Amino acid sequence: MGRAFVYVILGGGVAAGYAALEFTKRGVSHGELCIISEEPVAPYERPALSKGFLLPEDPARLPAFHTCVGANEERLTPKWYKEHGIELILGTRVKSADVRRKTLLTAAGETISYKFLIIATGARALKLEEFGVSGSDAENVCYLRDLADATRLSDVMQTSTGGNAVVIGGGYIGMEVAASLVINKINVSMVFPEPHCMGRLFTPKIASYYEEFYKSKGVNFVKGTVLSSFVFDEDGKVNGVNLKDGTNLPADLVVVGIGIRPNTGLFEGQLTLEKGGIKVNSRLQTSNSSVYAVGDVASFPVKIFGESRRLEHVDAARKSARHAVTAIMEPDTTPDFDYLPFFYSRVFSFSWQFYGDNLGEVVYFGDFSGPSFGAYWVHKGHLIGSFLEGGSKEEYEAIAKVTRLKPEIDDLSELERQGLGFVVALSQKLPVAPVVNVGGSMSTVVLEKPMYPWHATAGVVVAAAIAGFAYWYGRRRRRW
Ligand code: FAD
């Protein structure tokens, strides 16, 4: 048995939802597009799972956070897909792919053929067993990647109020879940091998700002060590953890956030891989011209850094998905994907945004004992990365705009003196640009400004203005 579609999206996560919306905007006909997903629900905004979904009161639940509400766009419910003639094949795992024959084989035995395939398989959570620790299938050991994980975590949390949780991992998932556990009145210990939290992005100084706040909320940080084994009660539930440094911690609940692995398996040996993901060009096209890859699974050229990266962030998933659809449907007019890496998080009442790259010398600004501060990264004489906590919409827009410009910096102390004022002043000299915005009407997911058609025109104007401004700025930079 089998079905044939012009366009098939493999994977039903964030990227799939944004790709579907873009297909409809570009005029896909009924019956031409299908999404195949292992998950039993239509695409949703995954970041909500570690934020609004875990709130003790009035938690976010589907259908509230189906894509594309995270970008202030339409909410694509199952009804929406039906009305647009898009086939949603849910709860269905694809078990093999043949890119030469342009077919996918589902676990149910159905062959789906395509003219164009978009791979949007995302990533899976790394398991403790992959690091030699067994027992993570116990009912109170939780991972957090999909809705089923989040539902389980939420259920276990509800029975653990007043008890002890151990969070393994000090990255995004660890920090966001720890905050949710605190809000749910659960005592938290965080265990990770690095000297500070968010080791891949934060400097020690930035990390210590957040760690101090977490400590004030009772979070116990156990750094420089890893989990070595679980302790079980007679029912097979975990009631404690043993760490490699000899520490024992009581546990009613364990949450594991130790990283992810991109889901490339179906295409190994068929498509070129790079940096752990599927290699694509600046049209998001893989080594097979009928196959595109987007989101967490894709390794794509980041033009402003002159090298390929695989990013594990929602903004990249949304934008790469849209771009791939445009490249498929309007191949002659679609420019190269020119993406400025953007990461964010919201925990407790904090909200930070980061743009660019965290390489080179760090210049701090703002008040690290107050609600707003930040940092710039200066590499080879250029500002290439900016971090801001507690900024206004305009300030976030300014750091995004100026980081993309990569202005030349020849006096770090002057940059420090000007602080945030540097990017604000510089950005005011540039025309209004399309920007990313966090916050908005829906408290449970992170929202972005909608993309209106005029943004495309503005983008061209901005690009020209930036080039002109960079030249002007280069000539005048010694003035400050
Ligand atoms: P996914 O959204 O993971 O979707 C992949 C889909 O493919 C899934 O539905 C999966 O079931 C399906 N699939 C995989 N293999 C198969 C197969 N063989 N057959 C059928 N279906 C398959 N990013 C941020 O920038 N900020 C945040 O605050 C943030 N918070 C996050 C919180 C959580 C809890 C998680 C898990 C992630 C968070 N992220 C955040 C990361 C962000 O969600 C991801 O970057 C984004 O979801 C990637 O989108 P994607 O479509 O590439 O993959």
Side-chain angles (χ1 to χ4, degrees):
M1 94 177 159
R3 280 183 273 181
F5 296 88
V6 182
Y7 312 105
V8 170
I9 302 171
L10 170 54
V14 172
Y18 283 78
L21 183 61
E22 195 64 37
F23 268 119
T24 60
K25 286 180 179 172
R26 309 227 165 239
V28 76
S29 302
H30 281 225
E32 283 187 340
L33 171 63
C34 122
I35 296 176
I36 313 173
S37 180
E38 197 167 5
E39 289 190 79
V41 293
Y44 57 88
E45 303 285 356
R46 200 165 300 282
L49 297 181
S50 54
K51 303 175 182 68
F53 197 91
L54 300 179
L55 289 176
E57 276 162 38
D58 198 17
R61 289 291 180 266
L62 288 175
F65 58 97
H66 278 301
T67 57
C68 300
V69 293
N72 275 354
E73 299 235 27
E74 273 180 271
R75 187 159 53 96
L76 314 186
T77 58
K79 187 163 163 254
W80 180 91
Y81 290 94
K82 203 167 189 175
E83 282 168 2
H84 288 81
I86 298 169
E87 193 74 33
L88 273 184
I89 306 178
L90 300 177
T92 303
R93 188 172 61 82
V94 167
K95 65 173 192 184
S96 67
D98 186 333
V99 299
R100 250 179 351 101
R101 290 202 166 85
K102 299 189 177 186
T103 55
L104 304 172
L105 179 64
T106 72
E110 186 180 14
T111 299
I112 309 273
S113 57
Y114 60 81
K115 193 165 165 218
F116 292 100
L117 173 68
I118 298 182
I119 303 169
T121 45
R124 65 173 178 82
L126 283 170
K127 292 275 152 79
L128 283 170
E129 279 69 9
E130 294 170 65
F131 298 88
V133 176
S134 57
S136 76
D137 52 351
E139 66 180 77
N140 57 342
V141 175
C142 300
Y143 291 84
L144 185 53
R145 182 68 201 180
D146 59 21
L147 188 66
D149 293 338
T151 305
R152 198 156 84 94
L153 173 58
S154 167
D155 291 347
V156 181
M157 271 167 64
Q158 274 163 33
T159 60
S160 305
T161 309
N164 299 303
V166 178
V167 175
I168 308 292
Y172 260 100
I173 298 291
M175 291 300 278
E176 294 194 356
V177 171
S180 296
L181 290 164
V182 168
I183 293 167
N184 280 274
K185 298 189 171 36
I186 298 170
N187 305 309
V188 181
S189 290
M190 289 190 71
V191 178
F192 48 86
E194 298 86 7
H196 61 78
C197 70
M198 297 291 291
R200 284 200 287 171
L201 181 63
F202 286 0
T203 65
K205 187 175 164 109
I206 295 174
S208 104
Y209 177 90
Y210 296 101
E211 286 183 12
E212 286 310 312
F213 184 83
Y214 275 57
K215 282 186 208 164
S216 77
K217 293 282 174 188
V219 174
N220 167 35
F221 285 94
V222 187
K223 303 179 194 177
T225 190
V226 292
L227 179 75
S228 65
S229 61
F230 289 117
V231 184
F232 297 93
D233 67 14
E234 58 278 7
D235 298 326
K237 273 175 73 173
V238 167
N239 62 10
V241 301
N242 297 320
L243 306 183
K244 219 167 205 155
D245 69 357
T247 310
N248 313 106
L249 296 169
D252 299 294
L253 158 64
V254 177
V255 186
V256 185
I258 53 174
I260 60 173
R261 176 81 26 97
N263 291 319
T264 56
L266 293 172
F267 301 96
E268 281 165 24
Q270 300 193 68
L271 300 175
T272 306
L273 302 185
E274 183 188 46
K275 296 190 172 166
I278 296 173
K279 181 181 169 149
V280 293
N281 61 19
S282 51
R283 308 174 69 74
L284 286 317
Q285 198 170 30
T286 68
S287 51
N288 180 303
S289 61
S290 307
V291 182
Y292 292 69
V294 296
D296 283 6
V297 79
S299 174
F300 63 89
V302 179
K303 222 172 159 186
I304 65 162
F305 302 141
E307 63 174 45
S308 284
R309 301 267 172 103
R310 198 182 57 72
L311 301 175
E312 299 169 358
H313 296 279
V314 72
D315 183 61
R318 292 170 181 159
K319 291 189 177 138
S320 61
R322 288 179 142 149
H323 203 91
V325 172
T326 315
I328 291 169
M329 297 195 73
E330 291 167 18
D332 298 333
T333 52
T334 303
D336 286 351
F337 187 47
D338 185 6
Y339 182 71
L340 173 70
F342 162 59
F343 318 143
Y344 71 83
S345 182
R346 297 203 312 183
V347 285
F348 295 112
S349 56
F350 298 118
S351 173
W352 58 259
Q353 295 192 21
F354 171 87
Y355 292 88
D357 208 357
N358 58 343
L359 208 65
E361 289 181 81
V362 188
V363 174
Y364 296 101
F365 58 82
D367 179 5
F368 272 72
S369 58
S372 181
F373 63 89
Y376 299 123
W377 280 260
V378 178
H379 184 56
K380 295 186 178 164
H382 290 265
L383 188 156
I384 60 155
S386 305
F387 173 93
L388 179 60
E389 163 64 49
S392 65
K393 180 172 158 287
E394 292 72 25
E395 288 165 346
Y396 286 127
E397 289 175 7
I399 63 165
K401 239 171 19 171
V402 172
T403 306
R404 178 177 278 286
L405 178 66
K406 290 207 287 182
E408 226 175 308
I409 304 291
D410 56 7
D411 186 345
L412 295 181
S413 47
E414 179 61 17
L415 180 63
E416 187 176 9
R417 194 190 64 73
Q418 292 195 23
L420 188 58
F422 170 72
V423 294
V424 171
L426 200 49
S427 70
Q428 278 165 0
K429 299 194 171 90
L430 298 168
V432 176
V435 289
V436 181
N437 177 34
V438 173
S441 58
M442 191 181 167
S443 62
T444 52
V445 289
V446 176
L447 306 176
E448 292 180 4
K449 264 190 151 181
M451 292 281 289
Y452 293 115
W454 65 265
H455 280 158
T457 317
V460 175
V461 175
V462 169
I466 284 176
F469 183 79
Y471 175 72
W472 170 85
Y473 179 76
R475 291 172 65 97
R476 288 176 44 112
R477 69 197 149 82
R478 290 195 191 282
R479 285 184 47 163
W480 61 272

